[in-house]
């Protein structure tokens, strides 16, 4: 499934395959948000596939938010494919439960 990004009441939902072919779309979108907003909510519940390139982008987005003292909520712990990929790469700390 082609990647889509939807803003649903301030929650940015990524839908489809988050893979190397479209990581720049996500990176650019979230870089813009982090440049203009103090709080950003990313939802990964509807991601069907994730690869190493996508994990690198997630890590960079998280690092940028931390560096700029922005609040980044990453939702999607219930998405087993995404959670397993993040767990294998020791990135589960980016998930936030307190949104």
């Amino acid at each position: 499934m082609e990647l889509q990004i939807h803003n649903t009441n301030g929650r940015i939902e990524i839908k489809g395959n988050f893979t190397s072919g479209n990581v720049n779309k996500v990176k650019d979108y979230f870089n813009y948000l982090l440049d203009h907003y103090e709080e950003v909510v990313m939802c990964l519940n509807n991601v069907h596939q994730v690869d190493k390139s996508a994990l690198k982008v997630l890590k960079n987005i998280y690092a940028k938010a931390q560096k700029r003292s922005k609040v980044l909520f990453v939702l999607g712990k219930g998405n087993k494919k995404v959670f397993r990929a993040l767990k294998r790469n020791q990135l589960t700390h980016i998930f936030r439960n307190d949104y």
Side-chain angles (χ1 to χ4, degrees):
M1 176 182 197
E2 187 175 328
L3 182 100
Q4 300 172 359
I5 301 174
H6 296 280
N7 184 338
T8 307
N9 297 324
R11 180 166 61 179
I12 311 304
E13 296 187 35
I14 301 174
K15 297 180 180 184
N17 297 328
F18 186 13
T19 55
S20 61
N22 52 35
V23 292
N24 287 332
K25 183 177 181 180
V26 174
K27 182 178 83 173
D28 293 344
Y29 195 90
F30 281 91
N31 278 333
Y32 173 82
L33 292 175
L34 290 171
D35 287 343
H36 293 88
Y37 298 96
E38 295 300 314
E39 182 177 294
V40 177
V41 181
M42 175 192 293
C43 181
L44 303 174
N45 286 328
N46 293 308
V47 171
H48 301 279
Q49 188 177 10
V50 64
D51 68 6
K52 290 258 185 203
S53 299
L55 295 174
K56 185 176 179 181
V57 167
L58 286 173
K59 187 176 182 179
N60 289 340
I61 291 168
Y62 179 79
K64 182 175 183 174
Q66 294 291 315
K67 187 177 189 180
R68 294 185 174 193
S69 299
K70 306 285 180 140
V71 178
L72 176 67
F73 291 97
V74 180
L75 310 176
K77 218 173 192 178
N79 184 330
K80 293 183 189 310
K81 287 182 182 181
V82 171
F83 184 76
R84 280 193 300 257
L86 269 69
K87 187 174 183 178
R88 276 193 307 270
N89 291 278
Q90 300 175 346
L91 290 172
T92 56
H93 63 278
I94 71 171
F95 285 117
R96 296 277 300 257
N97 294 324
D98 56 349
Y99 171 69

